[in-house]
């Protein structure tokens, strides 16, 4: 089972401040993802990565940047946090198993922007 | 419209009874995953499916790519089965399409 670790698990940030959510995976998966989960919207893809040095926009990238400095680490950066970014953020790693990709989620990071 | 429709949206089960959850797809899914989000918020992998069926203890899941649906059967429901069940379809590329979830409450 893939091990995906997120930090911090809980964060309160002020509007306009910078927030970095970190994710580390130990199973050597090429693919990593950042999702946010909100009531009524389910899980929505923010950014993803195919490997070290790559970042790709997901469905809702506005207001977010991503960084993949190594195979193991994938960060989500909110340069200017806004209250609308209050949410639970999930990182996932993934591997192509031939017929399709699979996801393994971290425990989630709860962000409140005040 | 939604590419993955889950039903029912909510369900209450008496402990020890059986039920089935369903996902219908309007995309050409090649694989499906089922997750349980427990009351603590963790997303737990239940099944990864290519077309066919898998069984794990009291859970059984099926995926029919031609008819574009997947089911998750829960047998002899227990209190610890409570939570929200999500299906996610993959089309062979990076994007996963999630259903909105089925909230299951198991009642003693």
């Amino acid at each position: 089972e893939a091990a995906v670790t997120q930090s911090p698990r809980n964060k309160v940030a002020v509007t306009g401040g910078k927030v970095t959510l970190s994710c580390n995976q130990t199973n050597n998966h090429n693919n990593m993802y950042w999702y946010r989960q909100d009531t009524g919207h389910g899980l929505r893809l923010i950014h993803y990565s195919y490997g070290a040095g790559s970042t790709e926009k997901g469905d809702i990238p506005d207001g977010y940047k991503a960084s993949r400095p190594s195979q193991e680490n994938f960060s989500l950066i909110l340069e200017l946090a806004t209250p609308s970014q209050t949410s639970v953020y999930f990182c996932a790693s993934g591997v192509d198993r031939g017929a399709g990709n699979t996801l393994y989620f971290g425990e989630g990071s709860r962000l409140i922007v005040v | 419209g939604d590419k993955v429709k889950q039903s029912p949206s909510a369900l209450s089960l008496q402990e020890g009874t059986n039920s089935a959850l369903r996902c219908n797809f309007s995309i050409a899914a090649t694989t499906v995953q089922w997750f349980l989000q427990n009351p603590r918020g963790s997303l737990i992998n239940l099944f990864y499916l290519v077309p066919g069926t898998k069984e794990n203890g009291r859970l059984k899941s099926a995926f029919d790519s031609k008819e574009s649906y997947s089911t998750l059967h829960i047998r002899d429901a227990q209190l610890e089965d409570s939570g929200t069940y999500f299906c996610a379809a993959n089309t062979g590329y990076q994007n996963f399409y999630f259903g909105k979830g089925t909230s299951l409450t198991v009642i003693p």
Side-chain angles (χ1 to χ4, degrees), chain B:
Chain B
D2 292 344
K3 295 180 172 60
V4 178
K5 292 189 178 177
Q6 269 190 259
S7 60
S9 58
L11 182 62
S12 287
L13 280 182
Q14 205 72 37
E15 198 173 9
T17 61
N18 307 330
S19 189
L21 314 180
R22 186 176 174 107
C23 285
N24 290 313
F25 311 116
S26 60
I27 51 173
T30 57
T31 63
V32 174
Q33 274 187 274
W34 283 91
F35 300 90
L36 167 61
Q37 188 164 35
N38 64 20
R40 289 185 57 227
S42 300
L43 283 157
I44 301 164
N45 279 358
L46 297 177
F47 291 103
Y48 164 81
L49 293 155
V50 296
T53 61
K54 281 191 178 177
E55 194 163 354
N56 184 5
R58 295 179 293 100
L59 300 180
K60 183 176 180 179
S61 186
F63 171 39
D64 186 329
S65 58
K66 291 180 181 176
E67 298 297 325
S68 299
Y69 75 91
S70 179
T71 56
L72 177 67
H73 292 262
I74 303 171
R75 177 174 54 83
D76 184 25
Q78 302 296 305
L79 298 177
E80 60 265 28
D81 296 332
S82 294
T84 303
Y85 290 80
F86 291 97
C87 65
N90 184 251
T91 58
Y93 300 101
Q94 291 303 320
N95 227 339
F96 292 81
Y97 300 91
F98 284 84
K100 287 191 163 46
T102 294
S103 177
L104 174 65
T105 303
V106 180
I107 305 164

Side-chain angles (χ1 to χ4, degrees), chain A residues 44-94:
Chain A
R44 293 181 290 174
L45 181 65
I46 306 170
H47 285 286
Y48 61 98
S49 168
Y50 292 109
S54 101
T55 60
E56 305 290 337
K57 293 180 179 179
D59 297 322
I60 53 161
D62 292 346
Y64 302 94
K65 292 183 180 178
S67 173
R68 182 89 182 269
S70 64
Q71 179 81 337
E72 297 79 20
N73 295 297
F74 190 39
S75 296
L76 186 68
I77 303 150
L78 291 66
E79 295 277 5
L80 295 168
T82 69
S84 65
Q85 294 175 312
T86 293
S87 187
V88 180
Y89 292 85
F90 285 95
C91 176
S93 71

